[in-house]
Amino acid sequence: MDRPAGIYVHWPFCERKCPYCDFYTFGREHPWQRLADDYLAALLAEIRDAPRRFGWPDPPAADTIYFGGGTPSLMGAGPLGRLLAALGEVFRFSPAAEITLEVNPTTVETAGLADLLAAGVNRLSVGCQSFNDRLLAELGRVHDAATTRRALEHIRALGPVNLSLDLIFGAPTQTTADLEADLEAILGFEPDHVSAYNLTVHEGTPYARRQREQRLPLPPEETQAAMFETIIARLGAAGLEHYEISNWARPGRHSRHNSKYWRPVDVFAFGVSAHGVTRGRRYEHPRDLRAYLAAPTESVAWCEPPADARARAGEILMLALRRVGGTPWAEIDAWAGADLRRYYRTELERLERDGLLRWREGRLALTRRGLLLADTVAEAFF
């Protein structure tokens, strides 16, 4: 049986673009406020055109919506309600659909959060990143720790809401003691979900330029590995399950939307630069706001499939290994439509011999050491 689809909607506007961010976004230094209404109109047109573009005979079922960015909480409840209504015209939603909104701490009180929740949002992903003012300044964030604390107290005062908090580790000048203090602060708000991301320096960002100029004091790799071990131990002790390389959750609070990316499930994406997948085919929108605004219903470009069966097998294995609890090999084979061991038997045996992969009850998974060296494991399947 086909699984219900996920939906991603990209809102590219934010208060300030962070120096490590490689998403297609614009800070207030860009005159985006003048374009917000036009962008909303383009999104609505693209959503309503989806049945024609994808050739749907009937509306597909969906059970997750994710508003990402950028800072989609900046759009306010009115525009968000219009987007949800448009999506409801072209998708069949489960009554228990998970609807996630990314939120920056500075927008919690000004965005009319109660109205956003009343419009249908039932899960909030808050970009804390750190509770250390020195690190927040280094990361180029617009908020300080006191703002984050007030924002989370405000959210908790609104009543029960599925709350996910984001944390960055491996940031410039960060120490293990800094990280431990951040974990203590985050757990004090009893989140349902935590995403902890190891800082990655992406080409084309200000951080990449600083790194080339040797002006980016990142912690040594062994310190970053120790930080990851600390996160695993601390969040696990607090009762959060480590279910994906960068994600932890309380029972029943896994991100249902993000989990779709590690399985053969359709995820329909709307908005400039957004990437989606349907029936195993990937597509993308241009990283060009003007081009998107000019022709939102014609902006999708279908991606070329992997060059050969081996490349496709490698892609599937990399995605399947994101799941910390492992992926049943039968599911991997069904996803690929072939036995992938015939393409990567040597690599799988070597990784298992090196203590990076394990088999347990027919499931393939990274070992604890493999989690620490996940990028190295992924390279074996390129």
Side-chain angles (χ1 to χ4, degrees):
M1 179 182 295
D2 290 338
R3 297 184 178 98
I7 299 165
Y8 175 80
V9 180
H10 189 63
W11 187 261
F13 309 123
C14 53
E15 296 165 289
R16 180 196 297 164
K17 190 173 178 73
C18 299
Y20 56 85
C21 177
D22 75 330
F23 293 119
Y24 189 74
T25 60
F26 302 91
R28 289 194 187 276
E29 66 276 8
H30 182 279
W32 63 257
Q33 292 96 328
R34 299 201 304 267
L35 298 175
D37 289 344
D38 292 342
Y39 186 74
L40 175 62
L43 273 176
L44 291 169
E46 187 198 353
I47 290 167
R48 290 178 175 131
D49 184 64
R52 178 198 66 83
R53 180 189 310 136
F54 296 112
W56 296 335
D58 299 299
D63 66 354
T64 68
I65 308 173
Y66 194 103
F67 292 96
T71 307
S73 54
L74 285 171
M75 78 172 77
L80 184 136
R82 292 177 64 189
L83 289 170
L84 287 173
L87 290 168
E89 294 170 14
V90 297
F91 290 93
R92 290 182 292 110
F93 285 111
S94 158
E98 174 192 271
I99 304 177
T100 302
L101 181 74
E102 288 186 346
V103 179
N104 195 57
T106 56
T107 67
V108 164
E109 294 183 84
T110 60
L113 198 58
D115 292 335
L116 289 166
L117 296 175
V121 171
N122 52 29
R123 184 174 184 272
L124 297 175
S125 177
V126 183
C128 303
Q129 315 312 357
S130 176
F131 286 77
N132 182 311
D133 285 342
R134 183 190 88 254
L135 293 177
L136 288 169
E138 176 60 51
L139 290 167
R141 303 295 292 177
V142 295
H143 64 273
D144 59 15
T147 301
T148 303
R149 293 179 187 279
R150 286 197 305 272
L152 296 179
E153 289 165 0
H154 180 75
I155 290 170
R156 283 307 190 203
L158 292 172
V161 62
N162 190 348
L163 180 62
S164 178
L165 304 183
D166 284 2
L167 174 72
I168 285 178
F169 70 98
T173 77
Q174 188 180 27
T175 66
T176 301
D178 292 332
L179 174 67
E180 289 172 344
D182 278 345
L183 290 169
E184 188 69 23
I186 273 186
L187 291 172
F189 288 96
E190 300 184 346
D192 301 284
H193 187 281
V194 175
S195 296
Y197 300 110
N198 196 173
L199 180 75
T200 301
V201 178
H202 295 282
E203 193 56 46
T205 63
Y207 264 20
R209 183 175 64 252
R210 285 178 54 185
Q211 189 175 56
R212 286 194 301 271
E213 296 169 353
Q214 298 185 335
R215 296 188 300 108
L216 193 68
L218 298 174
E221 287 187 7
E222 58 271 22
T223 300
Q224 295 187 43
M227 288 177 172
F228 191 41
E229 289 272 23
T230 297
I231 293 168
I232 292 171
R234 187 71 180 85
L235 296 182
L240 283 88
E241 178 194 357
H242 191 189
Y243 72 97
E244 192 272 338
I245 291 176
S246 301
N247 290 283
W248 289 256
R250 300 199 185 280
R253 293 298 197 177
H254 295 188
S255 170
R256 286 157 47 196
H257 181 82
N258 288 344
S259 295
K260 293 181 186 297
Y261 292 108
W262 325 126
R263 292 175 168 84
V265 182
D266 286 353
V267 178
F268 296 99
F270 300 99
V272 64
S273 79
H275 289 63
V277 60
T278 178
R279 299 175 184 173
R281 291 191 66 194
R282 298 184 181 278
Y283 65 89
E284 61 187 11
H285 296 73
R287 290 174 66 96
D288 185 328
L289 183 58
R290 292 190 183 280
Y292 178 76
L293 291 176
T297 63
E298 307 299 332
S299 65
V300 165
W302 292 98
C303 303
E304 290 296 323
D308 55 34
R310 177 178 164 85
R312 171 65 174 155
E315 180 182 87
I316 289 171
L317 285 168
M318 284 189 292
L319 292 172
L321 284 169
R322 300 286 307 184
R323 294 154 64 177
V324 172
T327 302
W329 191 260
E331 182 179 324
I332 295 173
D333 279 352
W335 187 351
D339 184 349
L340 300 194
R341 277 171 288 205
R342 78 182 196 187
Y343 299 112
Y344 283 102
R345 186 179 302 277
T346 300
E347 289 82 359
L348 290 167
E349 290 176 352
R350 174 176 59 79
L351 292 167
E352 185 178 13
R353 192 167 55 248
D354 291 345
L356 301 175
L357 288 184
R358 61 174 170 80
W359 294 88
R360 182 179 299 168
E361 298 178 352
R363 303 174 75 90
L364 179 68
L366 295 172
T367 62
R368 182 67 166 260
R369 182 165 175 263
L371 287 171
L372 299 173
L373 298 171
D375 289 344
T376 300
V377 174
E379 288 172 4
F381 304 117
F382 286 151

